Amino acid sequence: IAEAANMTKLWNFPVIYVCENNLYAMGTCVARSSANTKFFTRLDPIPGVKIDGQNIFAVRETMKKAREWCISGKGPMCLEILTYRYHGHSMSDAGLSYRTR
């Protein structure tokens, strides 16, 4: 994704990158598996915003602003949408061993 992000910023393409952050990797929380947990900053110099994915109104308003940013010719934007995964990652991951209910 780094090369794609580089080119979209270089040419100011109207692209919205979305990172759905459910707070967990396959077997552990992101704080234990990522040196930088602010995913919206990882596509620097593309501006990024972190939003509450559990709030549908915040998501809608942020998407509207991101769309306006992009179509006004300012280039790409990155959105980190915080949500929560209530179940395990897959059938082999019950999600019981690394977090509390």
Side-chain angles (χ1 to χ4, degrees):
I1 193 166
E3 281 302 315
N6 180 56
M7 296 309 288
T8 57
K9 181 59 183 167
L10 185 64
W11 294 332
N12 274 333
F13 283 158
V15 173
I16 300 172
Y17 292 97
V18 176
C19 171
E20 177 188 343
N21 182 355
N22 62 25
L23 309 177
Y24 290 91
M26 180 64 171
T28 189
C29 66
V30 293
R32 292 183 63 198
S33 63
S34 300
N36 178 4
T37 59
K38 296 176 183 175
F39 297 109
F40 68 99
T41 66
R42 288 188 172 187
L43 296 182
D44 189 49
I46 295 173
V49 178
K50 183 191 296 189
I51 58 175
D52 178 6
Q54 303 296 94
N55 182 339
I56 187 96
F57 302 110
V59 173
R60 182 186 66 192
E61 292 306 309
T62 304
M63 288 301 288
K64 283 181 184 178
K65 290 176 183 174
R67 179 183 179 274
E68 287 302 316
W69 173 274
C70 289
I71 64 174
S72 69
K74 295 179 181 174
M77 180 170 273
C78 178
L79 304 179
E80 178 182 357
I81 301 177
L82 291 174
T83 187
Y84 188 80
R85 180 166 38 94
Y86 292 98
H87 302 286
H89 188 78
S90 66
M91 294 295 288
S92 64
D93 175 24
L96 303 175
S97 62
Y98 56 93
R99 62 180 176 180
T100 61
R101 290 190 176 262

